[in-house]
Amino acid sequence: MTFGKGLSRKPSQPKGRQLDEDALQDVRGLLGDEPRRRDLLIEHLHKIQDAFGALHARHLHALAEEMRLSQAEVFEVASFYHHFDIVREGEAAPAPLTVRVCDSVACSIKGADALAAVLETGLDPTKVRIQKVPCIGRCAGAPAVQVGKRAIENANELAVHSAIFASENEPEIPDYIGLKRYLCDGGYQLLQKVRAGSLTAGEIAEKALEAGLRGLGGAGFPTGTKWKIVHDLPGPKYLTINGDEGEPGTFKDRFHLERDPHRMLEGALIAAHAIEAERVYLYMRDEYPAVLEILRRELDLLREAGIITTIDIELRRGAGAYICGEESAMIESIEGKRGLPRHRPPYIAQVGLFGRPTLNHNVETLFWIRDIVEKGPEWFAAQGRRGHKGFRSFSVSGRVRNPGVKQAPAGITMNELIDEYCGGMEEGHSFKAYLPGGASGGILPASLGDEPLDFGTLEKHGCFIGSHAVVVFSDKDNMRDVALNLMRFFKHESCGQCTPCRSGTEKMVSLLEDKTWDEGKIADLQEVMRTASICGLGQAASNPVASVLKFFAGEGQA
């Protein structure tokens, strides 16, 4: 029986959307000999998006068929990540070129919103799509724009138009220390000593503890202790590296990897050997196409040189989800799923990637391993100030004269960082406030510019150092606007898994958009978000609002 034109099907056909054989051949051609494992789903989605500029429904169906997954599974993963463009039947595909304008706080105060508005009115939307997006890790060059995969710092209308019309949309690969140069400087000799047994895992862990090396992605947990915990657990075990630094104001990992990638890679192989890991998974954010290309090249060279042997490093590409900076959400993403944080306990050290014990590290933490062992833990420990140990890579942006990554002593103060490392404030601007630890670390006034910057020093003020992402504000900036910008970011990036975060960030934005802030409602909502959210996103999202009410009460009104 036929109920309408085009709705009939042959009895031999299954119900539902019919498989497009041409689309199936497209997918098979793209995947080639790649395994069809579930954990590679996101990698395969990237291949389709890169090839066709979007994820058309026919290709999603074909991918589900090829990977023996339900269409619902494939769709829910593809729709979770911001960098995937799903095109349903009958819908138009996006423009062939996407221009991403960062509207996070460092770019916002430098005119990103006005730039986006100008670009939207001056370009053909059928050829160029303008998107306002969260932090792309170019805060020192604010306002920052990506034309395709080409980053433009200190962007203006002319620079963006020039890149578009010249078809400059591929990443620029910076001059970096490749394998040959790194080997000439003694690279991978320490790894050989570790493999030969002349330096044991326990000895390296002790050196890391003596040096005071801590997790530098934000949590600050002692590195040597993490190694010992995972080392003593039964295998198989894995090492994961979180390069998804999506915290607004953070760009230190990109800085290191675009200059000296092998220092981190050697640290990773040493750590993997120390815990007897079977494999290393390096998760890198999609906003860093140049870094991804560098890592692909250098990992291939390491395999060809026989430096990567039994423990391989597998590069995984993020897809635009801030939540995947949370370690358990990152693990879910590596497994080919939506990046939803897990409930804890169990912790990933016991039940991590593929259900096995997992050691997770930040890029910068691994970057320091070689120097600490070769120069001695006492050398690293002595670099701090005021009793704090080691160097920190501060990502500094905002109203300073010379922004950028500053390798400075742990325990340095904000005033010292501005004056000694950043050349002071911009002309015509006076120091007013700063984010010490990115969007979630709270806001501190200039009157607290002499507080030491390190783990555990700022909590008494309701703030924390986190990933050492410092954004500096001046007398030209309104802290109410800053808090609203940051809360809109958290609303956009909430994974939606738990109600306190999903609904809490949305409600908080609406409260901050009112001409008069209702402090009672804000306080109640803050308490719910902090105590009931599953992960750190919801728990810390309201920190900037609390800081404004505490330190900048006069700016709580429009």
Side-chain angles (χ1 to χ4, degrees), residues 104-105 135 246-250 322 435-443 464-467 469-471 473 482-483 485-490 537 540-545 547:
S104 285
V105 66
C135 187
E247 186 77 24
T250 312
Y322 165 75
L435 303 183
S440 56
I443 307 171
F464 56 80
I465 195 66
S467 60
V470 175
V471 184
F473 303 105
V482 169
N485 177 286
L486 298 175
M487 189 52 61
R488 284 174 174 161
F489 165 78
F490 288 121
L537 191 158
S542 63
N543 283 348
V545 182
S547 295

Side-chain angles (χ1 to χ4, degrees), residues 272-542:
H273 185 88
I275 66 164
E276 300 174 356
E278 279 201 355
R279 199 173 191 83
V280 179
Y281 289 85
L282 173 49
Y283 190 88
M284 184 55 54
R285 69 186 310 219
D286 196 37
E287 290 84 348
Y288 291 170
V291 171
L292 284 162
E293 179 58 29
I294 289 169
L295 290 172
R296 290 187 194 102
R297 292 179 185 180
E298 299 307 311
L299 288 172
D300 285 343
L301 290 174
L302 285 174
R303 295 183 188 102
E304 292 171 10
I307 295 172
I308 286 181
T309 54
T310 56
I311 304 175
D312 198 5
I313 300 178
E314 187 167 331
L315 181 61
R316 292 296 181 90
R317 180 178 165 191
Y322 165 75
I323 192 62
C324 290
E326 197 275 338
E327 60 182 12
S328 66
M330 177 201 67
I331 283 174
E332 291 287 299
S333 188
I334 292 173
E335 292 180 356
K337 305 171 187 175
R338 294 176 294 167
L340 301 178
R342 297 176 180 177
H343 291 273
R344 293 178 289 185
Y347 296 93
I348 68 164
Q350 290 104 6
V351 183
L353 186 62
F354 307 125
R356 302 305 309 165
T358 302
L359 172 66
N360 182 57
H361 270 315
N362 168 260
V363 168
E364 189 192 357
T365 306
L366 296 170
F367 183 87
W368 289 115
I369 296 296
R370 177 185 166 191
D371 282 337
I372 287 173
V373 176
E374 288 184 348
K375 298 179 181 179
E378 63 284 347
W379 164 82
F380 186 80
Q383 304 306 317
R385 295 183 183 178
R386 300 175 178 87
H388 300 272
K389 295 182 177 182
F391 283 116
R392 298 288 186 267
S393 296
F394 291 90
S395 305
V396 185
S397 61
R399 303 295 192 180
V400 294
R401 193 182 301 272
N402 300 313
V405 171
K406 312 297 179 181
Q407 287 191 353
I412 194 172
T413 69
M414 193 64 234
N415 285 325
E416 292 170 342
L417 188 63
I418 293 173
D419 293 338
E420 297 177 25
Y421 288 83
C422 300
M425 297 291 291
E426 285 182 342
E427 188 70 28
H429 292 262
S430 59
F431 181 31
K432 177 181 180 178
Y434 64 105
L435 303 183
S440 56
I443 307 171
L444 288 172
S447 60
L448 293 175
D450 289 324
E451 289 287 326
L453 300 177
D454 201 6
F455 298 108
T457 63
L458 305 178
E459 281 75 2
K460 60 189 176 185
H461 302 298
C463 298
F464 56 80
I465 195 66
S467 60
H468 297 75
V470 175
V471 184
V472 182
F473 303 105
S474 76
D475 56 327
K476 305 293 194 296
D477 302 310
N478 185 290
M479 294 302 103
R480 182 183 190 272
D481 295 338
V482 169
L484 178 57
N485 177 286
L486 298 175
M487 189 52 61
R488 284 174 174 161
F489 165 78
F490 288 121
K491 173 187 173 183
H492 182 266
E493 293 299 323
S494 173
C495 74
Q497 180 178 193
C498 68
T499 302
C501 178
R502 181 184 67 249
S503 298
T505 53
E506 181 179 3
K507 180 62 177 177
M508 187 68 79
V509 167
S510 69
L511 289 173
L512 299 188
E513 288 175 337
D514 286 344
K515 291 183 178 180
T516 302
W517 286 9
D518 188 325
E519 296 187 20
K521 289 183 178 179
I522 289 174
D524 288 344
L525 186 55
Q526 284 176 337
E527 182 65 20
V528 171
M529 292 172 66
R530 286 174 175 166
T531 57
S533 295
I534 290 174
C535 78
L537 191 158
Q539 293 163 8
S542 63

Side-chain angles (χ1 to χ4, degrees), residues 61-184:
H61 185 186
L63 182 62
E65 179 75 16
E66 186 68 7
M67 296 187 70
R68 299 295 186 265
L69 297 172
S70 71
Q71 292 183 61
E73 286 179 280
V74 174
F75 182 86
E76 74 170 8
V77 172
S79 61
F80 182 86
Y81 296 93
H82 300 310
H83 286 194
F84 291 140
D85 296 308
I86 297 176
V87 179
R88 296 174 174 85
E89 292 95 337
E91 290 184 346
L97 179 64
T98 296
V99 174
R100 293 185 169 97
V101 182
C102 175
D103 67 355
S104 285
V105 66
C107 288
S108 180
I109 64 174
K110 293 297 186 76
D113 295 324
L115 176 59
V118 169
L119 293 174
E120 285 174 348
T121 58
L123 294 166
D124 183 351
T126 65
K127 296 179 179 179
V128 181
R129 174 177 59 168
I130 305 298
Q131 283 187 334
K132 293 174 71 173
V133 299
C135 187
I136 60 174
R138 295 273 173 180
C139 319
V145 172
Q146 271 194 341
V147 177
K149 296 182 179 180
R150 174 69 61 92
I152 300 177
E153 297 187 352
N154 303 304
N156 55 41
E157 183 183 7
L158 177 60
V160 174
H161 281 185
S162 297
I164 292 171
F165 296 132
S167 297
E168 295 174 347
N169 51 27
E170 291 300 317
E172 287 186 284
I173 307 301
D175 181 28
Y176 66 92
I177 300 173
L179 180 58
K180 185 176 180 180
R181 284 172 61 189
Y182 188 72
L183 290 173
C184 289

Side-chain angles (χ1 to χ4, degrees), residues 165-302:
F165 296 132
S167 297
E168 295 174 347
N169 51 27
E170 291 300 317
E172 287 186 284
I173 307 301
D175 181 28
Y176 66 92
I177 300 173
L179 180 58
K180 185 176 180 180
R181 284 172 61 189
Y182 188 72
L183 290 173
C184 289
D185 190 37
Y188 293 103
Q189 291 182 11
L190 178 61
L191 175 64
Q192 297 305 320
K193 292 179 181 177
V194 171
R195 285 175 171 170
S198 57
L199 192 61
T200 68
E203 290 171 334
I204 298 175
E206 284 300 325
K207 289 179 184 295
L209 285 171
E210 291 174 29
L213 183 64
R214 305 175 72 164
L216 297 174
F221 196 81
T223 300
T225 302
K226 291 173 70 172
W227 287 22
K228 290 180 177 181
I229 290 171
V230 180
H231 175 271
D232 293 340
L233 293 171
K237 293 173 281 192
Y238 299 103
L239 169 66
T240 56
I241 304 168
N242 196 334
D244 198 60
E245 56 172 5
E247 186 77 24
T250 312
F251 49 94
K252 63 186 178 67
D253 293 347
R254 178 183 61 78
F255 175 88
H256 289 306
L257 293 175
E258 286 184 345
R259 288 159 177 77
D260 196 0
H262 285 281
R263 197 165 294 271
M264 182 278 293
L265 292 172
E266 183 172 14
L269 290 170
I270 290 170
H273 185 88
I275 66 164
E276 300 174 356
E278 279 201 355
R279 199 173 191 83
V280 179
Y281 289 85
L282 173 49
Y283 190 88
M284 184 55 54
R285 69 186 310 219
D286 196 37
E287 290 84 348
Y288 291 170
V291 171
L292 284 162
E293 179 58 29
I294 289 169
L295 290 172
R296 290 187 194 102
R297 292 179 185 180
E298 299 307 311
L299 288 172
D300 285 343
L301 290 174
L302 285 174

